[in-house]
Structure formats: C-alpha cells, structure tokens
C-alpha cells in the first residue's frame, strides 16, 4: 500500500516539480547566460554565423567526424551510442508512451520492448565502460572528482532500475518507485550540473565555431 | 663548454630563478584579482568552467603532455582546472604561493597554442582560460622575468626591445644602402603617405637581423609595390599579450593602427611572425575598443602578400629552390590565422620538393617556443627543449634538409631544437628563399663600378645644376 501511495506522489506532484525545475532551470540558465554574453562576450556576437555554428556542431555530433574523436575511436563510438540510447529509450519506450497517452491523449511512436530492453543494456554497458575508463586512464582519473562518479551513476540509475523493473527482477513496486524517484532527481540536478551540456553543448560549440571559423577562417574539428 | 656542462649550468640557473624568493611574502591584492576574474567571467567562461566532462580527450592534443611521458598533470584540462578553475572557485581569495605555482603552469607548461581548444568535444577554449590565469598572476607581479622586461620596454618605448626611433630609421637607411648595391634604385620609404602597404616588423629584425629588413625591401621593390615602413607603430609584436597585461598590449597595436590611418594605407603587413599577426588582426581591435572587432585597416600576414606577389608573377625565379623542404605551420598563422593553405601554396610556388610534417596544417604541433616561451629565456630553456621533442621528431621524420618557418619564435625554437636533437636541417624564412632564387630584373641590376661612378658623377652634376637653379630662384625671391 505504501508503495502505491508513493507511486501516486512520485507520478503526481513530484513529477510536476521535477519537470518544472528541469525545463525552467535550463531555460533560465540559458537566458541568463545569453544576457551575460551580450555584455561580456563581444567576439561571440560580433562573429555570429549560422554556417560556422553548424559546422562546429555537426562535426562533433556525428561520431569520428573530428580528428580528436578519431584519436579514441572506441570511446567515441561508445559515447555516441550511449547518448542516442540515453535520449531515445525514455522518449520512445512503450510503457512511457502508454502513460503519455493516458495523461495527454497522444504519444510518440513506440520502440518494440525487446529493442528498448537491449538499448537499456547498451546504456548501462557504456556507462560501466565510462567508469572503468575513468579509473583506468591516468589522464582521466586525475581529473575525476567524487561528484563526477556520482553523476555517471546518477545518469545510469534510471536505466538500471527501469531495466530491473521491466524484467521483474527484484521487488517490482520498489524498483518502479526507485526508477521514477531517481529519474526525477536526475531531472532536477541536470540543469545545474555539467549535465546541462544537453543544451549548453550547442552554445559552447557555436561559440568556438565563431571564434575560429568566422573570425579566423579556421576549422575546429 | 661541453654540452653536459652547459646543460648543468642551465639547470642551475633554472633552479636559481624559478624557485620562490626567500624574502618575506608580499600580500596579494585580492580586489585586483576579483576585478580581472569578473571582467573575464562571461557566458563562455561560465559554461567552460561548468560543463567540462573530464573526458581527458584534450590530453593527447598537448605537446607538453606527449613529450613528457604523458604526465597526467600536463593535460590541458588539469592545468586549467588547477589554475584558473581554482581562482574562480576561491572567488579570487588566493595566496601568493598558489599564484607562484600557477605561474609555472600558465607560462611554464602552456604556449597558448590552442590545439586543445580545437580538440575539446565541447569547444572549451582552454588556452583562453590559461590566458586569464596569466592576467591574474601578472596583476600581482608574478610573471617570468623575460616577459616582465619586454612588457616594461613596450610601456616605456612602444616596442619590446626599447629601440629608439632614430635607430630604427637609421637601420632602414643602412639596409636601403646595403641592399641598394644589389638592387638598383632600392629604397626603404619611411612614412610614405598613400602607400598601399605599411610593413611592420619584429624588433629583433632591426636589432639582430637587419638583413630581414633588407630582404623584405628587396622583395617589395622588385615586385613594384607601393609600400612604406612606418616611423612609429613599426613593432607589430606583442609580448604584453602573453604576459597578460592588456593595458600595455594596447600600446603598440594602437600606435600601429593610428599610423596606418594617418598614412592612409590599404593594408598593414605583418612580418614573418605569428603572434604579431594574432595581436594585430584578432586581439588588437578589442583592446583598442573598435566596435565589431575588426582592425581599422585590413591586416595581412607576409605569407599572404608573398603568395600574391609570386602568384601574380611580380617576381620571376631563376629556378625553384633545390632542397627538400618542410613547412612549419606557426600556431598563430595556421590554427589561429587560417592561413595553412596559403602557406603551402607559397611553398609550392617556390620549391619543388616539399614534404609535409605529420600532423600538419591546423593540427600541427606548436614548436614549443610560442606563447612567450622564447623571451622567457634561460630559466625556461631546459623545459622548452624537452617539450620540443615532438616538433623535433616531426621534422626528422620528413627527411627535409630545410624547414621553412614564417615566424620568429618558431625560428628560434627550431634552431635550438636543431642543435639539441642534431636534426641537421637549416631553418629558413620565406624572405631568405625568395631573395636567394629570385631574378633581379635587368633594369634593377646595379651598373658595374665604372658605370656606377659615371652614374654617380651624372647624378652629382644634376644635383649641382638643380642646386644652382634653386639658388637662382632664391635670389630671385630675395630680390
């Protein structure tokens, strides 16, 4: 019974709060940075160019499209697959879309459950690889703080718990609530941590594109 | 002195100069640090500080890291996080000891070559962060002596080597005379109103390598350019930029822009120097405060002008350069200047046997002498030689006998590497190659000595006639 009450709270007010903080936090942060940039990042605005922003972004969104990413091809591949699955699974999961349908009367296309199941395992496997890489490579280990490990674990947590719940491993009710709870924690932390690269990646890459490309005619990939 | 003895002496000097002084520590002016940090804390800096994912991809881009057994403390992210990152974290409340440690990182382990900025998946401009770290250290008087000296020279005299204007002009006159013996009619016009090109140099040219001035004059004269040397604003280098003193960095740039506007030239030409190009073309407009960030007069690098001259056939060659050459892409000409293809086009116009280094173009490694490292002098020489290993290996792998280098800092560094690593190459500038293989047009071949005397006599006679005429005119006026 307690689990049901918790579920109601987590999918009710808690979800609202998490989503508002997630969307609002990112929006406010971007708007605030944009305002600040007009005052203190003159070159950014003087050399704006859609072409160079696009070139700078696309060469780093596609895998192995930059020299740097080709230097560590395995890592690059893992990063790419990880990001696609990390975004794709929650949006196109059948179970999530049933909830969207219930709540709003519309939903996104659904992935077959087996595919989503595998994709979740890919996310977890990539995440474990990232953790091992962090520990194994001295130049990465030296940069990594406890918070960095925490964020990797937090980014994986919804997938681990979701996968366990879906496959009915462990106590289902607890796993489901944990899954929702950890996802909400993630949504709340995201705008205020380095995970905000979800949107700031595009701003930062545009800026370096203008700096090297528009201003100097030089490539950054 | 044997090589070992020299090395030991250098190391001893390094220790003596680099170790913190024994005197009582001066307090740190936290207010000043806060001001610098705030001025640089724009949207980009904030993003960079917060989104770095600690992926470590920048490490392999850095030649300091690669040359020193992949010491993780030399990875660009580590260097930035532990200098400027900590300064922001502490909100400027840092100790002098900490800043002394930062000094060894921001100057002693980084040449601001910006290769890491290009290799970061998020486009974090790590080199620019390090530059802010330099500004903070500099504001507390913590800076390598060599850069402090040159910055003081700029502040007091307007050029980094404290050369007097008369000496500069005298050097130009001397070179005009000297090179006039090879190319008849050669002049070095000073402050010529309405010239197309205003040529600016690195003070080490008039100070130590005046032939650079002469060779440039030869090239421009034979190519038939309408050009001039400025009497002020002739130093386009800017070591204050690398020292982190923006106020002083503005001085030579402003002088150069002002002179170019005064003379009404079409373009400012930068000598074969990398950081001068960066300062004059890209950073200068912001220091001077020009809206839009573009210089008031177009700024072009020698590589561009020489390429145009050769491509348009304004200079004919006796033959192509006969040796196997490779090309050093200076960071501030290629990666930070976008001129890698123009440099190669020029090499191919002059040479038949060209082999590129690997990596090359915008991916080329810094020589290890940039970012102020050369003027930082003997205390930093050992580590400059050690980190230059990457460049030395790149050059050796080409099998070239000549390295073409359109940058003074690269030039000195590769010369030093040549000795240190016994590369058996000759380091040359474009000017040297062009003047060696160019054809002097018949009309500019100086007359034989007898003829020369005859010409001189003729000129003398002409002058007398003119003087006579003037005197007469004067008499007429007086009467």
């Amino acid at each position: 019974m307690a689990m049901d009450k918790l579920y109601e709270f987590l999918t009710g007010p808690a979800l609202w709060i998490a989503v508002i903080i997630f969307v609002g936090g990112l929006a406010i942060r971007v708007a605030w940075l944009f305002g600040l940039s007009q005052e203190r990042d003159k070159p950014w605005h003087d050399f704006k160019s859609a072409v160079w922003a696009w070139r700078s972004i696309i060469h780093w969104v596609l895998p192995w499209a930059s020299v740097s990413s080709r230097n560590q091809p395995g890592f690059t591949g893992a990063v790419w697959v990880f990001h696609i699955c990390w975004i794709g699974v929650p949006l196109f999961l059948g179970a999530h879309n049933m909830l969207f349908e219930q709540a709003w009367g519309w939903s996104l296309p659904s992935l077959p459950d087996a595919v989503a199941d595998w994709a979740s395992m890919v996310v977890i496997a990539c995440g474990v690889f990232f953790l091992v890489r962090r520990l194994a490579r001295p130049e990465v280990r030296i940069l990594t703080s406890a918070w960095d490990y925490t964020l990797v674990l937090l980014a994986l947590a919804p997938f681990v718990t979701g996968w366990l719940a879906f496959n009915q491993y462990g106590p289902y009710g607890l796993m489901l609530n944990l899954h929702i709870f950890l996802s909400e924690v993630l949504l709340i932390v995201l705008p205020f941590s380095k995970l905000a690269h979800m949107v700031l990646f595009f701003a930062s890459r545009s800026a370096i594109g203008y700096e090297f490309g528009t201003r100097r005619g030089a490539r950054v990939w | 002195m044997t090589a070992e003895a020299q090395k030991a002496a250098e190391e001893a000097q390094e220790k003596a100069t680099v170790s913190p002084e024994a005197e009582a520590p001066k307090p740190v002016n936290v207010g000043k640090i806060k001001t610098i940090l705030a001025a640089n804390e724009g949207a980009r800096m904030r993003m960079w500080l917060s989104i770095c994912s600690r992926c470590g991809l920048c490490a392999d881009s850095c030649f300091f890291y690669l040359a020193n057994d992949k010491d993780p403390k030399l990875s660009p992210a580590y260097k930035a996080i532990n200098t400027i990152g900590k300064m922001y974290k502490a909100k400027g409340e840092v100790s002098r000891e900490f800043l002394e440690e930062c000094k060894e990182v921001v100057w002693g382990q980084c040449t601001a070559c910006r290769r890491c900025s290009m290799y970061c998946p998020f486009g974090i401009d790590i080199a620019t962060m390090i530059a802010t770290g330099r500004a903070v250290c500099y504001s507390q008087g913590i800076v390598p002596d060599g850069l402090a000296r040159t910055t003081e020279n700029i502040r007091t005299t307007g050029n980094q080597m404290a050369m007097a204007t008369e000496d500069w002009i005298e050097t130009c006159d001397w070179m005009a005379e000297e090179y006039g013996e090879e190319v008849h009619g050669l002049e070095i016009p000073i402050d010529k109103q309405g010239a197309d090109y205003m040529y600016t140099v690195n003070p080490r040219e008039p100070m130590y390598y005046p032939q650079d001035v002469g060779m440039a004059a030869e090239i421009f004269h034979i190519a038939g350019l309408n050009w001039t040397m400025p009497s002020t604003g002739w130093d386009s280098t800017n070591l204050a930029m690398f020292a982190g003193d923006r106020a002083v960095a503005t001085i030579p740039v402003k002088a150069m822009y002002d002179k170019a506007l005064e003379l009404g030239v079409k373009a400012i030409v930068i000598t074969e120097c990398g950081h001068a190009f960066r300062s004059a073309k890209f950073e200068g407009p912001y220091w001077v405060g020009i809206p839009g960030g573009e210089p008031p007069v177009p700024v072009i690098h020698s590589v561009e002008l020489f390429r145009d001259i050769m491509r348009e056939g304004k200079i004919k060659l006796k033959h192509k350069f006969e040796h196997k050459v490779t090309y050093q892409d200076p960071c501030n000409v290629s990666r930070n200047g976008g001129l890698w293809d123009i440099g190669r086009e020029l090499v191919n116009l002059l040479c038949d046997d060209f082999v590129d280094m690997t990596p090359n173009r915008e991916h080329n490694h810094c020589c290890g002498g940039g970012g102020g490292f050369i003027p930082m002098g003997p205390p930093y020489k050992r580590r400059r030689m050690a980190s230059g290993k990457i460049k030395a290996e790149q050059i050796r792998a080409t099998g070239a006998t000549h390295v073409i280098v359109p940058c003074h800092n690269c030039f000195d560094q590769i010369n030093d590497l040549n000795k240190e690593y016994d590369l058996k190459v000759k380091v040359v500038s474009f000017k040297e190659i062009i003047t060696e293989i160019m054809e002097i047009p018949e009309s500019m071949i100086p007359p034989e000595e007898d003829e020369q005397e005859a010409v001189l006599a003729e000129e003398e006679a002409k002058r007398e006639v003119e003087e006579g005429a003037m005197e007469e005119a004067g008499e007429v006026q007086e009467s």
Side-chain angles (χ1 to χ4, degrees), chain B residues 48 128 138 328 354-355 376 411 428 431 437 442 462:
Chain B
W48 297 336
T128 295
Y138 183 88
Q328 159 67 4
F354 166 51
V355 51
M376 275 149 56
F411 194 95
V428 287
K431 283 191 278 291
I437 59 176
E442 216 149 286
K462 223 198 240 163

Side-chain angles (χ1 to χ4, degrees), chain A residues 29 32-33 36 40-41 43 46-47 60 67-68 133-134 140 143 194 204-205 211 215-216 218-219 221, chain B residues 38 41-44 46 50 53-55 114 119-123 282-283 286 335-338 362-363:
Chain A
R29 192 164 176 201
W32 183 75
L33 284 172
L36 187 69
R40 294 189 202 170
D41 300 82
D46 287 343
F47 294 96
W60 286 90
V67 171
S68 181
R133 179 179 175 275
R134 269 196 190 284
V140 189
L143 299 174
K194 66 179 182 179
S204 174
R205 280 238 62 89
E211 172 65 24
R215 199 169 171 194
R216 300 156 192 269
R219 302 179 286 231
W221 53 85
Chain B
E41 198 174 17
R44 288 172 303 168
R46 281 177 189 266
S50 72
S53 285
R54 316 296 204 248
C55 72
R114 278 181 132 187
Y119 276 58
C120 170
F122 290 172
F282 303 115
E283 316 292 351
Y286 286 100
R335 179 165 39 254
N336 291 310
E362 74 270 39
H363 293 282

Side-chain angles (χ1 to χ4, degrees), chain B residues 142-208:
Chain B
I142 297 170
V143 59
D145 294 343
L147 287 176
R149 262 197 309 277
T150 47
T151 304
E152 185 58 17
N153 284 344
I154 300 171
R155 202 180 60 76
T156 51
T157 69
N159 69 81
Q160 56 145 309
M161 291 189 184
M163 192 176 201
T165 306
E166 308 84 70
D167 293 339
W168 157 243
I169 291 172
E170 213 167 89
T171 309
C172 289
D173 291 346
W174 168 40
M175 281 301 114
E177 203 176 298
E178 193 98 337
Y179 280 77
E181 288 171 15
E182 282 174 35
V183 179
H184 188 59
L186 180 143
E187 286 178 352
I188 298 188
I190 309 272
D191 288 346
K192 183 176 171 189
Q193 198 72 35
D196 292 337
Y197 300 105
M198 179 176 110
Y199 186 64
T200 59
V201 301
N202 182 321
R204 60 180 244 141
E205 296 176 40
M207 288 288 271
Y208 305 114

Side-chain angles (χ1 to χ4, degrees), chain B residues 22-41:
Chain B
E23 41 187 272
K26 282 176 271 176
V28 169
N29 183 343
V30 173
K32 223 169 169 183
I33 297 180
K34 280 182 188 282
T35 310
I36 293 171
L37 290 178
N40 287 285
E41 198 174 17

